[in-house]
Amino acid sequence: MHSLTPMTFATTRGARRLPNLPMAALLLAVALPAAALPAPAYAPLQVLPGSYSAVLHLQAQRWDLLDPNGAALQISVSDCGAESTLPTGLWLLTRDHSGAPILLAPSATELPAGHSGEVPIGACTDAATPHTLRLPPALLQALESHASAILVQN
């Protein structure tokens, strides 16, 4: 009887070496032209209620802060200036490397070409860059303490 090793198998005519399957797969993948591979199809992003804790209505310049039961507290920010170029979709509220609050777009949020996917957030009273989402200090504090995901709508 022949002993088996990971790379050989026994036959009635003797031991044979198994082909190197990972290398064969790599060679096959390289040999296929990219056009022969189907493009991935992504379904439109569906944002379910409960997957976000605040909603920003860009045109109305209004925020809806949602409690766990679904009730909304509406806050107008027309005197402060929400960034009108903020792409619609789901955004995550987090902090940048220096600890400042930012909105971060997950990969499912469609962004215009050249957009970094990060939007700094600052208080109305703070000096801000042109692309900063400016909020009243009380709203900023409420978002930082109660919101983790924000749905931006027109």
Side-chain angles (χ1 to χ4, degrees), residues 86-87 91-92 94 102-106 109 111-112 114-120:
L86 186 63
W91 291 80
L92 305 177
T94 187
I102 62 167
L103 290 179
L104 181 65
T109 300
L111 299 172
H115 196 289
S116 69
E118 292 184 9
V119 176

Side-chain angles (χ1 to χ4, degrees), residues 6-153:
M7 296 304 291
T8 60
F9 64 96
T11 67
T12 57
R13 295 185 184 159
R16 292 188 180 192
R17 186 166 175 84
L18 287 175
N20 189 342
L21 293 179
M23 182 58 80
L26 178 63
L27 290 174
L28 182 60
V30 171
L32 289 176
L37 300 175
Y42 298 106
L45 176 65
Q46 293 183 349
V47 181
L48 301 175
S51 62
Y52 51 89
S53 45
V55 179
L56 169 58
H57 303 275
L58 288 173
Q59 291 179 353
Q61 299 260 328
R62 186 187 81 232
W63 284 84
D64 295 339
L65 301 180
L66 308 174
D67 70 13
N69 298 323
L73 170 65
Q74 295 183 350
I75 301 171
S76 175
V77 292
S78 60
D79 59 337
C80 187
E83 183 185 278
S84 61
T85 60
L86 186 63
T88 59
L90 191 65
W91 291 80
L92 305 177
L93 179 61
T94 187
R95 296 192 173 276
D96 66 9
H97 62 280
S98 65
I102 62 167
L103 290 179
L104 181 65
S107 60
T109 300
E110 290 187 41
L111 299 172
H115 196 289
S116 69
E118 292 184 9
V119 176
I121 304 173
C124 294
T125 56
D126 296 342
T129 65
H131 300 290
T132 299
L133 178 63
R134 300 182 63 181
L135 303 173
L139 175 57
L140 180 56
Q141 184 179 12
L143 287 172
E144 287 183 295
S145 61
H146 299 294
S148 57
I150 297 166
L151 180 62
V152 177
Q153 298 178 332

